[in-house]
Amino acid sequence: MDKIRASLLKKSIASKIERRGKIISLTCLALIILVVFLIFYFVASRGLATFFQNHINFWQFLSGTQWNPGTTGTNGQPAVGALPMIVGSFLITILSALVATPFAIGTAVFMTEISPRRGAQILRPVTELLVGIPSVVYGFIGLQVVVPFVRNTFGGSGYGILSGTFVLFVMILPTVTSMSADALNAVPRYYREASLALGATRWQTIYKVVLRAAIPGMLTAIVFGMARAFGEALAVQMVIGNATLLPQNLVSPASTLTSILTMGIGNTVMGSLQNNALWSLAMILLLMSLVFNMVIRYIGRKGKLNNER
Amino acid sequence: MNAKRIDKIATGVLYAIAAFVVIILVALLGYILVQGVPEISWHFLTSPALSFEAGGGIGIQLFNSFYLLFLALLISLPISLGAGIYLNEYAPQNTITGLIRTTIEILSSLPSVVVGLFGYLFFVVQFKLGFSILSGAFALTVFNLPILTRSIEEALANISNDQREAGYALGLSRWETVTKIVVPAALPSIITGVVLSAGRIFGEAAALIYTAGQSAPALNFHDWNPFNISSPLSPMRPAETLAVHIWKINSEGIMPDAKAVSAGASAVLIIAVLLFNFLARWLGKRLYKHLTAE
Amino acid sequence: MKKSRVIQLLGLILIGVLVGLGYSQRATTDASESITAVGSTALQPLVEAAGEQYSSEHTGIFINVQGGGSGTGLSQIQSGAVAIGNSDVFAEEQSGINASKLKDHQVAVVGIAPIINKKTGVTNLTSQQLKAIFTGKVNNWQAVGGHNLPIVLINRAQGSGTRKTFESYALNGQKSADSQEQDSSGLARSIVASTPGAISYVAFSYLDTSVTALKVNGVRPTKANVKTNRWHIWSYEHLYTSLQPDPLTKKFINYILSAAVQEKLVKQLGYISVHDMHVQRSATGKITTVK
């Protein structure tokens, strides 16, 4: 028995190192997974308490439009309807991704295909710098510049989905741009050379070859951008108005899951219904980003297949 | 329409888009800098903050930001490097790996306030670390791991397989190939990833409010023993960072010069990120040369 | 390879020695004690400043003050994780808190005033009008004697101390209509200052020239009026401790209640000293006169 063990272990120094390396890197990954599960467990255990301890109907939670956990709503149950926030989060995320994507991809193409030199010298450093601006600062610029602009141009009080979209657009632009540029850079050079050799113009090469080869990478970039938009709290909270009402239009005050969560959590007591209801919002946030990720992954896989055929 | 014409138009449109984006970004930066730079002075950068009188500085907050960044990177970089290596070099391409990737992406989409509250209950209360730099660094690690892992994995994936095959042909094990050939070759992109995540750490407020705390007790800058509570190096002291400070004075500040302090602090934050960018790039270049050309 | 191993080993030993040295050299004054106070962000500057003063007078004592909100403060003191829980509201008003297990120390009084955008054309409202505005029955300033401007309500976050006080004493317990919400005084003020037709409410310390502070029933929002309860919209700032606080906590709270803090810091921060009040109010809102 010992002999076999010894001979197995003694194979070579390289294989020892190899095994050690594999174990080290696997441990690191396991650690991350552990953290994710801890957070999931933690959010779920608090978030589910609303339904199991406080006996709130789950569908009522999803479809209700009244949010005031401390009081009872019109139907005699505590008013914990999260629909306005869910709609708000969804709208603002999708809209800002819709606005940001063409700009981000256009800029990324410019950075990698049209003028790599200028891209590397000006655009890249600037975009990377912007990632470091705290969201509070974005929020304040939004408050000073975007809100009055929206108020004077589109009417209303200026607070609402539209202002939030503009602020998030600028916030996620750097992330999506630099990640899309990475994806484009990862497309092998010979793809471009082959296309150009066939007589295609630069635009044809970009449009028909490079962009298509980079689709999965760019989708990931958009997911990351949306994820940031989705989870963003402090900046959105300043410009969206935080009214727990279903948005009537793009300029009426609305709210997102994160804005209500951030505002309320300090004012509630651990274990009370008000607090649990906020954790349920966090849980919805997790579930929704799960769905998002899966959808985009599915699209990405499809795009890849079509591409290879 | 002929292809050349379309090519010209498309190029023009791309130029316009890039120019538009640059204008937005530069205007944003300019706005912050123009408002903030006039407030910056040596006194502002070095003196402690005042809670209700004018003339406070951001000295302690600035130091806290850098120290916290350093600690957070010290913890998160090795972990995400290991995880990135495993995901790119060892992990089989199957459903489980896909699931793990999804998990990591979901972690990255967690709102930072949830990360902060998790850190609060887990590190501050459960592990009894209190409101401290250490709790803050752990929370930032949680916040930072997914994005760093992702960018390291991508950096490794972009190294062509020729390099790995060359390593194997020399009789190196996979681990040696990765650590001696692939990682050094991927270093510039890894550095970019680190710089990006460092920027995010630097600007993060929500995750720190409940972990590193929102107070900056006076520090004794002559005492560099990390075991003393008033030492700047002590990991167990509460530490308000620059971003948290900006958030705090904007929301509850009652000092008469709150606006000026906040504008100045924002500008300092941006300049610090900028300096950090340059430094990391320069260091990366040196390291790259050292590891590959020799 | 071997050389680098030696260097690595030396490095590790060096770090070990330094850590050991640092640990053995750490400041070991016996008086080194600390207490932690967590909670209300509105109260944080006062406790922080008092803590700093206290530490400078008593070496080795460290007062750790953190924000997090009144709810956090109360749940932390209830679970015994901290020595002091700072709160803007009575523990009795906060659901999920067993107030009989906590000791209340009222350390300051804060007045709250309705504020409006300067271009509304209104400086005085009756309490009926105020109620009508906040419950959504009136939605144009014209109806209360101002310009033809839609009213934009800016509430504070649900559960915040300021909102509870405002609803109890300005709206006589009525809930305000669903509207925009902000969770900090500074933000509420800057939004009111920049949004036409906006109305909100903030603590006296946040009043400045960028907004108009409203008179209610002709009474001006001043500290003098709060002291006599002519101005009804005010609340206490509380430090909650366990029923038997440890000696250091007790000393620190006595310090905050002493003239050194009440006469100087409390006033500088825009609060009203509890010693100056001519009336006292219980958790249920009952007013008694103090002689």
Side-chain angles (χ1 to χ4, degrees), chain A residues 14-15 17-22 24-26 28-29 31-33 35-40 42-43 46 102-107 109-110 114-115 118 122-138 140-141 144-145 169-170 173-175 177-179 182-183 185-186 201-204 206 220 223-224 227-228 230-234 238 258 261-262 265-266 270 279 282 285-286 289-290 293-294 297, chain B residues 3-4 6-8 10-11 14-15 17-18 20-22 24-26 28-29 31-32 35 78-87 90-91 98-115 117-122 142 145-147 149-150 154 158 171-176 192 195-197 199-200 202-206 209-210 243 246-247 250-251 259 266 269-271 273-274 277-278 281:
Chain A
S15 78
I17 295 176
E18 172 67 15
R19 179 185 282 187
R20 200 170 60 193
K22 197 169 175 179
I24 292 174
S25 58
L26 188 59
C28 293
L29 188 64
L31 204 66
I32 298 184
I33 306 293
V35 169
V36 175
F37 277 101
L38 267 177
I39 293 185
F40 262 67
F42 171 78
V43 172
R46 303 246 158 214
F103 285 102
I105 291 181
T107 314
V109 169
F110 182 85
I114 310 263
S115 181
R118 254 175 271 188
I122 308 170
L123 273 165
R124 212 160 238 280
V126 173
T127 47
E128 278 166 18
L129 196 57
L130 284 171
V131 179
I133 301 180
S135 38
V136 193
V137 175
Y138 278 110
F140 260 81
I141 295 181
Q144 286 164 358
V145 181
F169 156 66
V170 180
L173 194 60
T175 317
T177 306
S178 69
M179 285 185 73
D182 287 342
N185 270 331
T201 61
R202 184 162 63 180
W203 172 244
Q204 283 169 330
I206 293 170
T220 317
V223 178
F224 259 87
R228 194 161 182 208
F230 213 69
E232 177 49 47
L234 296 177
M238 289 186 191
T258 45
L261 183 61
T262 331
I265 206 90
M270 259 329 148
W279 281 109
L285 211 57
L286 267 189
S289 51
L290 197 78
N293 273 347
M294 289 188 170
R297 254 174 201 280
Chain B
K4 278 212 170 132
I6 297 178
D7 184 57
K8 280 230 173 88
T11 309
L14 285 174
Y15 260 94
I17 289 180
F20 179 69
V21 169
V22 169
I24 291 186
L25 302 188
V26 169
L28 191 63
L29 285 179
Y31 187 86
I32 298 168
Q35 290 215 323
I79 298 178
S80 37
L81 191 61
I85 288 175
Y86 188 86
L87 275 177
Y90 291 102
L99 212 65
I100 290 175
R101 287 218 172 84
T102 314
T103 336
I104 293 178
E105 270 177 28
I106 289 169
L107 183 57
S108 78
S109 63
L110 269 187
S112 43
V113 59
V114 174
V115 174
L117 287 162
F118 167 76
Y120 169 65
L121 280 199
F122 200 67
V142 172
L145 277 177
I147 198 138
T149 306
R150 183 82 210 178
E154 217 135 82
N158 285 346
L172 293 177
S173 70
R174 218 197 291 196
W175 178 252
E176 284 170 312
T192 313
V195 169
L196 275 176
S197 64
R200 272 189 83 180
F202 222 76
E204 180 52 41
I209 293 167
Y210 293 96
I246 296 174
W247 171 79
N250 274 325
S251 50
K259 271 211 172 109
S266 311
L269 200 69
I270 288 182
I271 295 169
V273 173
L274 189 71
N277 268 6
F278 283 135
R281 255 163 236 289

Side-chain angles (χ1 to χ4, degrees), chain B residues 52 120 213-215 225 228 251-252, chain C residues 22 27 48 65-66 76 186 206:
Chain B
F52 53 91
Y120 169 65
Q214 347 169 359
S215 66
N225 187 337
N228 290 343
S251 50
E252 302 285 349
Chain C
E48 217 169 61
V65 186
Q66 297 299 333
Q76 285 305 298
Y206 292 93

Side-chain angles (χ1 to χ4, degrees), chain C residues 41-57:
Chain C
T41 41
L43 190 50
Q44 192 187 351
L46 174 64
V47 184
E48 217 169 61
E52 269 166 37
Q53 267 189 28
Y54 192 72
S55 305
S56 65
E57 288 168 27

Side-chain angles (χ1 to χ4, degrees), chain A residues 94-302:
Chain A
I94 290 174
L95 281 180
S96 56
L98 275 183
V99 181
T101 304
F103 285 102
I105 291 181
T107 314
V109 169
F110 182 85
M111 271 159 76
T112 55
E113 313 294 325
I114 310 263
S115 181
R117 207 170 48 83
R118 254 175 271 188
Q121 273 176 357
I122 308 170
L123 273 165
R124 212 160 238 280
V126 173
T127 47
E128 278 166 18
L129 196 57
L130 284 171
V131 179
I133 301 180
S135 38
V136 193
V137 175
Y138 278 110
F140 260 81
I141 295 181
L143 209 55
Q144 286 164 358
V145 181
V146 177
V147 169
F149 170 76
V150 169
R151 178 165 55 229
N152 296 333
T153 324
F154 301 98
S157 68
Y159 300 92
I161 301 260
L162 198 62
S163 302
T165 303
F166 282 140
V167 169
L168 280 181
F169 156 66
V170 180
M171 281 188 82
I172 65 174
L173 194 60
T175 317
V176 184
T177 306
S178 69
M179 285 185 73
S180 307
D182 287 342
L184 290 171
N185 270 331
V187 174
R189 226 183 123 105
Y190 52 80
Y191 277 36
R192 299 183 180 91
E193 281 159 3
S195 166
L196 291 172
L198 285 171
T201 61
R202 184 162 63 180
W203 172 244
Q204 283 169 330
T205 306
I206 293 170
Y207 184 65
K208 298 226 159 110
V209 179
V210 182
L211 276 183
R212 285 178 198 205
I215 280 180
M218 289 191 308
L219 280 175
T220 317
I222 298 169
V223 178
F224 259 87
M226 281 168 100
R228 194 161 182 208
F230 213 69
E232 177 49 47
L234 296 177
V236 176
Q237 190 192 321
M238 289 186 191
V239 296
I240 197 167
N242 308 315
T244 51
L245 303 163
L246 272 180
Q248 305 296 315
N249 51 48
L250 291 185
V251 291
S252 74
S255 57
T256 65
L257 292 163
T258 45
S259 71
I260 297 301
L261 183 61
T262 331
M263 280 202 333
I265 206 90
N267 293 322
T268 56
V269 171
M270 259 329 148
S272 65
L273 168 65
Q274 286 94 318
N275 192 271
N276 288 341
L278 290 174
W279 281 109
S280 304
L281 292 186
M283 198 177 71
I284 300 281
L285 211 57
L286 267 189
L287 292 181
M288 269 170 74
S289 51
L290 197 78
V291 172
F292 257 126
N293 273 347
M294 289 188 170
V295 169
I296 300 279
R297 254 174 201 280
Y298 179 71
I299 299 170
R301 211 176 298 149
K302 277 217 138 170

